[in-house]
Each structure stands twice: as C-alpha cells, then as structure tokens.
Amino acid sequence: MTTQFDRIFHGLSPEVGKFRVAASGMAWKGADSEGVIAIPASHIDWAQWMRVARGFQLRIGMRDDKREHRTEKFDGFAREDQDKISSLLKTHFGKSLETKEVSFKGWNWGTTDFQGNNLAFLVSDRTAFELPLTQVNNSNMASRTEVTLEFSSVSSSAKTPAKSMGDEMVEIRFHVPGVHTKLKGSGSDD
Amino acid sequence: GSGGKEGKGWKKFQSYKGEGALPSEVERLRIYVDRKAQTVILPMHGSAVPFHINTIKNASKNDEGEFTILRINFQTPGQLAGKKEDTPFEDPDATFIRSVSYRSPDGHRFDNICKQITDLKKEANKREQQKKEMAD
C-alpha cells in the first residue's frame, strides 16, 4: 500500500512534486522535471520533523550500502501530516519521527552549533536556522570578535525566472565575544 | 528580573509564541515585514526566521549592477556607542547576528522592504521614547 502526499518540495527547489511512502521505501517525483528522488527502505537511518518556511519539513538521514551518509529534505507538509508520517515510518521502517524544536522568539543572539555539514544557530536551545557549510564560499574574521560567511549564488543554476524566486542570502556576519571576562555588576550572583 | 540571569535593564520581547503564528506569506521564501508582530521575517536556507524590530539597528539598500543588495544591521554589544545610553542585552556574552545581506534582481521590492523596516524601527523608537517620557 502506498501513501501519497501532494505539493511537496524537494530541498529548496521551487518545483512541487508528489511524495510517496510504501514498505519498499520513499520517493519524490517532480511535477515538471519528472526528476525522482528515491530512498530505499534499507537506507533510512533517521527521520526528523521541523517547521520551515514552506510548511513542515521531513528530513531523512540516509546511509547507503557503502555506509555513506546523505540527508534529503522535503518541504511542504501540513501540520496534520505529522501523525500520519510518524506512523508510516514506524510501520514500514521501524523508525521514529524526531521533532526538531524551532525558535520563533525573534532574537538575534544565541549559540552556534556544528551539526554535520550545517552550522546551526540556536536561540534558547531551539533551532532558529541552519546554514549549509558546503555553500559557504568565503569566510573571514574582520576582527577578533567578528566572523563573516559569504554564500555562493544559487540563482545562477536555476531555470526559473529570477523574479519569481525567493530572496537570496549572500552574507551573514556574527559577533562572537569569545572568552571575554564577564563584568559583574552588583556582585550578588556568586 | 525573575530569572536572575537577564542582563541589567533588558526588557523581554518576543516575536511569536509558536509556529502557528507565522504569517502565511513566509512560504514564498522572501523577506516579509509583519508590522503587527513588529517583526521582520528572513528566509534562511528554507527556514522562516523572525527578528523582532528591537534586535534591528537599521536597513540599507545598494544597487550593484542588475542586482540590489539589502543589508540589515542588528543590535549587538561592542558597537561604537552613538548614544550616551548603551542598549541593554539579555546575554552580552552570547553569539550575535550582526548583519545579514540579501540579493534580488527586483530593486523596487527591496526598496519597499527597506522603507518598511525603517518605518517599523521609527515607530518602535517613538513608542520607546513615549514610554520613557511617561516614566519620568
């Protein structure tokens, strides 16, 4: 038996497609390009669920026969799909769907955490965003407390008209205080 | 402060309580100014990341050939203090986002977003000023 989810995106692509889950594995098929992303059941290592811009994201950690790791991301799921996906993963693959908690506080301070190929920014221990380090094409330190990351252009490889695309982040600068000695004000907090 | 760990003079603020409060416009993966929540939502590699106007210092726009660059500068510790009173921070030792830059071929839209952010900041500053005057 196959369960299908419509209007699902693969990665950051603007193309919608269908996402199917069956005992043999999972697959995404693009509506326009007819491109297929297939995930055999035996390659599924873990699964995560998190809120992103385009609804909810199902993230699948894979490990192939050569034991190489890969992550595939699918956006566009509805809030209500969580239970369905969760039980499908359990039934077909014996995997549980882990929920990644996301911060919506709107703060610009937190901690950075390297998670695989991603640099995650956490606010109050919840993920605010993740930056794929594979897309960083330059980084530098302007001072002892400032780190800049520049990103390579993604729009040059896209076929869609530029104006219909999302806004492209090209640079982010962090203020990293590092190991400064904390100045204690009142002295009441020993 | 109730928690005891908050920096001196820092007043708590928050954009959204949960994901359900995010405006539906974020699905377009474009910068969105949510005036009601006093928040600018930035698309960051697929995520919709809110930044409360209190964290934003200013926004500027630059034309570079056929593209327009929008840069948003944030409040961080250690900047040259223009004002006599320094901005209080919850945790000055945390890692801060200092600025984020975006690129678009649609200069008019970035022009508009830049204005919206500047206006939102003006409103927030004005409210802050009024609060101070009331307290005096």
Side-chain angles (χ1 to χ4, degrees):
Chain A
M1 203 194 80
T2 302
T3 311
Q4 182 174 302
F5 298 86
D6 294 321
R7 293 196 58 78
I8 302 298
F9 304 93
H10 172 238
L12 289 177
S13 165
E15 185 190 6
V16 292
K18 293 182 195 317
F19 187 81
R20 291 181 179 137
V21 188
S24 57
M26 297 180 260
W28 176 89
K29 191 163 173 261
D32 305 323
S33 69
E34 299 285 307
V36 175
I37 304 294
I39 304 174
S42 61
H43 291 188
I44 300 165
D45 199 11
W46 50 262
Q48 274 181 348
W49 184 259
M50 75 182 276
R51 175 66 210 255
V52 290
R54 297 185 294 189
F56 282 81
Q57 178 181 84
L58 173 65
R59 190 178 291 191
I60 305 292
M62 299 165 66
R63 206 165 55 169
D64 66 16
D65 301 330
K66 292 172 196 144
R67 305 190 72 77
E68 281 186 32
H69 295 264
R70 199 175 96 207
T71 306
E72 292 288 1
K73 297 168 185 175
F74 303 96
D75 292 4
F77 288 96
R79 191 178 295 117
E80 304 80 57
D81 291 336
Q82 185 177 7
D83 289 344
K84 208 162 157 190
I85 293 274
S86 180
S87 80
L88 284 168
L89 287 167
K90 195 115 225 138
T91 312
H92 291 318
F93 319 117
K95 299 287 178 188
S96 53
L97 185 63
E98 181 202 325
T99 306
K100 213 172 169 90
E101 301 289 350
V102 180
S103 165
F104 299 97
K105 281 188 166 166
W107 297 358
N108 70 321
W109 64 97
T111 53
T112 49
D113 187 25
F114 289 95
Q115 300 172 348
N117 284 329
N118 289 317
L119 174 66
F121 190 75
L122 310 174
V123 172
S124 303
D125 296 324
R126 287 166 167 240
T127 304
F129 58 87
E130 294 169 322
L131 305 172
L133 293 170
T134 48
Q135 279 172 36
V136 174
N137 71 351
N138 197 18
S139 67
N140 66 73
M141 285 185 85
S143 71
R144 283 199 314 175
T145 57
E146 192 176 295
V147 178
T148 304
L149 300 180
E150 286 169 30
F151 295 92
S152 49
S153 175
V154 286
S155 59
S156 54
S157 59
K159 280 174 284 179
T160 44
K163 281 202 178 186
S164 72
M165 289 210 335
D167 292 331
E168 193 184 349
M169 184 166 75
V170 288
E171 189 202 85
I172 186 164
R173 283 195 301 155
F174 292 98
H175 169 68
V176 188
V179 287
H180 286 302
T181 312
K182 210 169 188 170
L183 290 169
K184 301 236 163 141
S186 59
S188 60
D189 51 347
D190 298 326
Chain B
S2 50
K5 70 179 256 252
E6 285 170 19
K8 201 171 172 243
W10 184 75
K11 282 190 188 70
K12 202 179 178 82
F13 58 84
Q14 187 168 332
S15 288
Y16 303 105
K17 288 236 165 71
E19 61 84 19
L22 278 181
S24 60
E25 286 86 351
V26 300
E27 71 180 26
R28 300 177 69 196
L29 298 174
R30 290 178 176 186
I31 300 169
Y32 181 74
V33 180
D34 183 355
R35 199 164 162 256
K36 221 166 64 189
Q38 292 191 70
T39 292
V40 179
I41 307 171
L42 302 180
M44 287 176 147
H45 290 276
S47 285
V49 190
F51 290 97
H52 195 277
I53 195 66
N54 287 5
T55 67
I56 294 172
K57 202 169 139 194
N58 56 41
S60 65
K61 188 196 72 112
N62 263 309
D63 293 325
E64 284 185 13
E66 54 183 321
F67 290 100
T68 299
I69 305 284
L70 177 74
R71 180 180 173 129
I72 298 162
N73 290 308
F74 295 91
Q75 305 277 10
T76 64
Q79 285 169 331
L80 287 174
K83 290 172 214 157
K84 222 163 67 178
E85 204 177 355
D86 217 355
T87 316
F89 292 97
E90 187 222 22
D91 181 6
D93 295 326
T95 297
F96 283 74
I97 296 157
R98 180 163 267 179
S99 78
V100 185
S101 300
Y102 282 84
R103 196 175 82 149
S104 174
D106 191 347
H108 288 296
R109 229 190 87 245
F110 269 17
D111 203 21
N112 191 13
I113 288 169
C114 193
K115 278 202 191 92
Q116 286 182 52
I117 296 172
T118 306
D119 287 348
L120 196 59
K121 188 69 205 171
K122 271 188 205 153
E123 283 171 30
N125 283 343
K126 202 171 149 191
R127 250 196 314 273
E128 201 52 44
Q129 201 54 44
Q130 280 170 345
K131 259 192 219 163
K132 266 188 197 148
E133 279 164 18
M134 297 273 276
D136 282 345

